[in-house]
Amino acid sequence: MLYYFGKVNNFIIFVVMAKLTLDEIRDRFESAKEFNEIFDAFEQAIEQRIDDIELYRLLFWNSALKAEELSLFGEKLAKEFPHISYDVYMWLASVFEVMHSVYDNYELALQYYKKASAAKPNSLAPYLDAADCYEHDLKIPPIHLLIEFLKQGTCLVDEPMPIYEKLAYLYEISGNDEMSKFFKRKLEEGDTPPADQPPE
């Protein structure tokens, strides 16, 4: 593997980088602190066509990486391996929720839950996890954005009842009793299609 290094006295210099083993890539993802070192390992993992989500989980939990660096890795990974994009987005969302919430107010977490739901529209997990990340005391992420996301999910998942429950709760804590009661009623009705529409 050749990497361009520079030019000395009009001679172009290339450096031969040894191919990293899977264990070496894993070690760098888990414990390396320098971005360039992690980036090189990531590039090699992509080049070697490694699509093991468990390996990339170590990368996502590396505390040396900033939010924008994690996003860079995640977006590239999802593009290279679309078949694991759902898992990539779900892991990124959970990492942003836990590690970076102080800096981004959960907005990146919600963003990646939305990406996960786009990758697998009938999955309940992105909607339920997004609802659970709401911090009532801090009012983050914005509750209206969460509600909008969950309402979209009710039309896409096979079993919307758990989402109705979350919506009833979110509307209740936001002070919208009418909508809270509407979704509680939908819960009580079960699988029977309701005759009424949500109040405006």
Side-chain angles (χ1 to χ4, degrees), residues 131-145:
D132 287 342
C133 84
Y134 182 68
E135 280 289 335
H136 182 55
D137 293 339
L138 300 175
K139 307 273 190 265
I140 53 174
I143 199 165
H144 69 280
L145 295 179

Side-chain angles (χ1 to χ4, degrees), residues 27-171:
D27 287 344
R28 286 196 187 187
F29 282 0
E30 191 169 19
S31 56
K33 300 301 177 197
E34 293 294 324
F35 175 78
N36 288 338
E37 191 178 354
I38 299 169
F39 183 79
D40 288 343
F42 179 78
E43 288 284 288
Q44 288 209 28
I46 296 294
E47 191 174 295
Q48 294 176 38
R49 306 309 294 164
I50 300 171
D51 62 355
D52 178 8
I53 190 64
E54 296 303 315
L55 175 68
Y56 295 105
R57 282 174 58 185
L58 298 173
L59 172 69
F60 296 150
W61 286 109
N62 187 320
S63 60
L65 293 173
K66 299 173 184 169
E68 59 269 19
E69 293 167 344
L70 286 171
S71 291
L72 172 86
F73 288 134
E75 296 291 344
K76 172 73 170 170
L77 189 59
K79 185 177 178 184
E80 289 289 332
F81 305 114
H83 63 283
I84 62 169
S85 62
Y86 171 82
D87 293 313
V88 168
Y89 294 143
M90 286 296 286
W91 274 107
L92 279 175
S94 62
V95 169
F96 288 134
E97 184 180 339
V98 172
M99 293 176 62
H100 295 276
S101 57
V102 173
Y103 306 106
D104 63 43
N105 292 341
Y106 290 99
E107 288 176 16
L108 277 174
L110 180 57
Q111 176 184 323
Y112 279 99
Y113 284 130
K114 287 180 176 181
K115 284 176 178 276
S117 71
K120 196 185 282 189
N122 63 342
S123 175
L124 267 172
Y127 304 104
L128 301 184
D129 289 358
D132 287 342
C133 84
Y134 182 68
E135 280 289 335
H136 182 55
D137 293 339
L138 300 175
K139 307 273 190 265
I140 53 174
I143 199 165
H144 69 280
L145 295 179
L146 265 180
I147 288 172
E148 179 185 325
F149 176 50
L150 267 63
K151 284 172 76 174
Q152 291 168 0
T154 62
C155 304
L156 299 172
V157 301
D158 298 327
E159 178 47 68
M161 303 299 272
I163 300 180
Y164 294 159
E165 186 176 358
K166 298 291 185 185
L167 281 166
Y169 170 72
L170 289 172
Y171 273 119

